[in-house]
Amino acid sequence: MVNPMSVRIQIKDAVKKYGGNTVIQDLDLDIRGGEFFTLLGPSGCGKTTLLRMIAGFNSIEGGDFFFNDTRINDLDPAKRNIGMVFQNYAIFPHLTVRKNVEFGLRNRPFPKARIPEQTDKFLKLMQIDQLADRLPDRLSGGQQQRVALARALCIEPDVLLMDEPLSNLDAKLRVEMRSVIKEIQNNIGITTVYVTHDQEEAMAVSDRIAVMNAGVIQHVGTPKNIYQRPANIFVATFIGRSNLLDGTMVMKNGRAEVTLPTGYVAEFSTVRQDPAGWKDGAPVRLCARPEELIVQPKGLPGLKAVVDDCVFLGLNTHYFVHLLTGEKAEIIQESTIDSVIPQGTEISLRLNTDKANLFEKESQLSLMSGVQNDLDALR
Amino acid sequence: MREKRKFEVWHVITWVMLALFALFLVYPMFGILRQAVFASDGHFTLEQFQKFFSTPYYSSTILNSFKVTLAVTLVTLLLGIPFAYFYSFFQLKGAKFLFVVAILCCMSAPFIGAYSWIMLLGRNGVITAFFKDVFGVRLGSIYGFGGILMVQALKFFPLVFVYMNGAFKSIDNTLIEASANMGCTGVKRFFTVIMQLSMPTILAASLLVFMRAFADFGTPLLIGEGYRTFPVEIYNQYLGENGTDHNFAAAISVIAIVVTAMVFFLQQWATRKYSFSISALHPVQKRKPRGAAGVLMYIYCYGLIALAFLPQIYIVYLSFRNCDGAVFKPGFSLGNYEKAVKKLLVRSINNTLIFGVVSLVLIILFAILIAYLVVRRPSVPNHTIDTLSMLPYIMPGSIIGIALVIAFGKQPFALTGTMAIMIIALVIRRMPYTIRSATATLQSIPISTEEAALSLGAGKLKTFVRITTPMMANGILSGAVLSWVAIVTELSSAIILYNNKTITLTMSTYAAISRGNDGLACAFAAILTVLTAVSLILYLQLTKSEDIRL
């Protein structure tokens, strides 16, 4: 459900400097009203910096930030009507759960008489109404997380910002809390910006994801699009696991013939028809996810390889192989009932050319059709 | 850093603080410096410094101070480290009692130990007389180097104990187990692992003891006699009975500041060199003391504590004895207290409490503001405030007293003899401790908690008052109670500034001692002792924590 009142966030030419050091240069972003938008990237890529610029805790050295049509660059953090959830929750340790949650209401013109009612609503929503009179030091990590979320939502903010909110929880609780967060966001329909370095978490909760690296947004798209048709090699390797192999490509009748190590030639029908300035025989990089390599008996056409090791993980079995030309690769297969392939076995690897991606080697950009990078619309 | 150009109330606070420090600290210090290098007729001269260093009668005081202070530091380490080790690594019965009494010992008024030991071991002391009458043995003199060493060592070893206890608690048990695993146990482990891990704390504790002992004025004044130390010499030159020389006193003060500053920077350098951080996930498991070693441990810990606490007990005991002038007579009564009431007891107590409360309120207010400025609004003026506020830490109290008299003894700021100047001196002297604990507390609070309040619509001041300050409360409280006790027992600056109207309990005690009115002195001292003891025990009950920042 998209709340018709929800706020669109637009960022134009944002610049962030620490001293003389520019960490973000001319960044553009358009976050739709009511969507769950995630900034994903390795640590130090600038995603938290960007989030804190939206929140008003970091100065903005250049560019414009808009909530709908309102420019918020110079607006006090207290006046931006933002709900924020911090990595360490930032629960006030000297206030009870209820006092924490109602804190925001008491700081704005909200009818005093309605405060308990509004607070109760969100305590119930986050299922912490039983804990209302406890002090935070008597709460578990998951409970503190719920308090932080209730506190952020209670003021009915225009925008919800979350900075790695699940990173302090254990693995099981993290999975549980992320469905809670997703569900609540769905129900309320509030524009949400979420920062994480965990790509699985990002895929699980987001409507759209922006993958960032070194202060630059690489790809904005749906989780499916980013995983299946990454815009460049960084995105392909950061999201999920990828085997990278070098090759050369020739276009023939609208199909691409790619010559790969050990002499295997794979035919792609998924390559863009008009790669600008394309020269036949130019070097490309193949990015094949572990499930996109299919093990076949030796002799069939494919990459010739030898099994080094295999790991049985129940649902799947992982094979670690090396090609006869020396490159290493990882393969995931659904486990079968018969025995695993022994070490030292020579095999042939067929490529799932519908799914695999090709990148121009020099520019590292995707050659595939079907790449949807919403960033392109902004440029 | 953020919102550089925007006006904030914090900017005003910064400048107000700077102005206050300039007026009450920098200006008086310049006064001392000016008096040290300008003769009374106004020409510049280094004559005073020349006089000090070329006359062994004076220059020996600095050497004396160094000798006895180094000895005290060493002995406190030797006494305090084993005590802390037994306390932290073994389940001693009555551990809480040991802790409380140790704190009481080191927080007692600065000269009560010396005075009480004189009553016990001095020329007319009870123990001295007992040995002479029963065994015909003459005990050695307690006056001089040995006396200062004994009194200060027994008073300051608890500082080492509290510091080392903190350090030992932060040692992870797995480190102990790992060293045992590699064949390193017992005494060898104590020296190669435990002591090495505690090195930064040992240095910090040494500095603290050094500074306190070096600046201690009451002990050498009473028990030093011919062994003349620095702080006493400053006092004698400024207010002494025979021939005062204010310019010379100022010159000695400057030398004292330089010396303590050097020691301070030396320690800072050493701490940086040895610093590393450890945090204990698994604190050390305390063992039960067993066998002969266990018995010796008990004897050591309880014996040491008894010896250190004896002076205070004895003073309280003496206060109830019949007394005529300097002679104690058989039998008990409240006579001493009755005399005390006639000798300004009520005024002393009132003054002590008023000065204590007012100074404490000011100290807490300033400490919170300064800690916030330094931690959350780092800038050049705010770092200047931080540095300035720590200056009194390295200045003996009598110097602050003299500086204030020089600065405020005449128009336009004639404040001498008023309550205001006493309070100013106390605030300046005791603020560094509270600022340190407030700063450390604020640094440990993640800024995101304040950001959460801001994003929930609370303004900056509201966030500060409603969120930041309450979260700092615990850290402030521990600093403040100790400041309170130090204020109540203040001697060295008060002795220069006090008069009949602004007399405090400590000063009444001192006045009675110096007039040879022993019964009266004991009554005042006993009240002072009980007051500090009650404050500390109340505080220890409230916090239930051993993390005291002394």
Side-chain angles (χ1 to χ4, degrees), chain B residues 464-543:
Chain B
F464 176 74
V465 174
R466 294 274 310 276
I467 302 298
T468 316
T469 310
M471 287 196 302
M472 288 167 73
N474 278 338
I476 305 263
L477 182 73
S478 69
V481 174
L482 299 169
S483 290
W484 160 260
V485 173
I487 289 168
V488 167
T489 57
E490 172 71 22
L491 171 73
S492 52
S493 66
I495 200 169
I496 301 218
L497 296 169
Y498 91 104
N499 64 19
N500 201 30
K501 287 220 173 55
T502 57
I503 196 163
T504 61
L505 268 179
T506 319
M507 291 320 306
S508 287
T509 318
Y510 177 75
I513 293 174
S514 60
R515 284 181 204 128
N517 234 329
D518 286 328
L520 189 60
C522 287
F524 278 118
I527 294 170
L528 191 56
T529 302
V530 171
L531 180 64
T532 53
V534 169
S535 310
L536 283 169
I537 290 173
L538 214 70
Y539 160 68
L540 291 171
Q541 284 300 314
L542 278 176
T543 60

Side-chain angles (χ1 to χ4, degrees), chain A residues 52 56-57 59 74 76-78 82 84 86 88 90-95 100 103-104 106-108 151-152 155, chain B residues 1-4 6 446-460 462-463 466-468 470-471:
Chain A
R52 290 170 60 84
F57 298 130
S59 60
D74 302 316
D76 205 65
I82 279 173
M84 180 131 181
F86 295 82
N88 60 0
I91 307 278
F92 306 131
H94 58 295
L95 301 179
N100 261 286
F103 186 88
R106 294 201 178 275
N107 286 312
R108 57 187 63 215
R151 187 179 67 180
I155 56 171
Chain B
M1 279 198 291
R2 72 188 92 95
E3 284 147 35
K4 272 177 211 150
K6 259 196 204 168
I447 193 167
S448 57
T449 317
E450 285 151 57
E451 288 174 347
L454 286 178
S455 84
L456 290 168
K460 282 181 186 136
K462 186 164 186 185
T463 302
R466 294 274 310 276
I467 302 298
T468 316
M471 287 196 302

Side-chain angles (χ1 to χ4, degrees), chain A residues 11 36 87 91 107 118 138 180 247 259 275 297 309 315 361:
Chain A
I11 301 172
F36 199 121
Q87 185 169 10
I91 307 278
N107 286 312
Q118 174 85 349
R138 308 246 334 262
V180 172
T259 311
D309 197 7
L315 175 62
K361 186 162 181 185

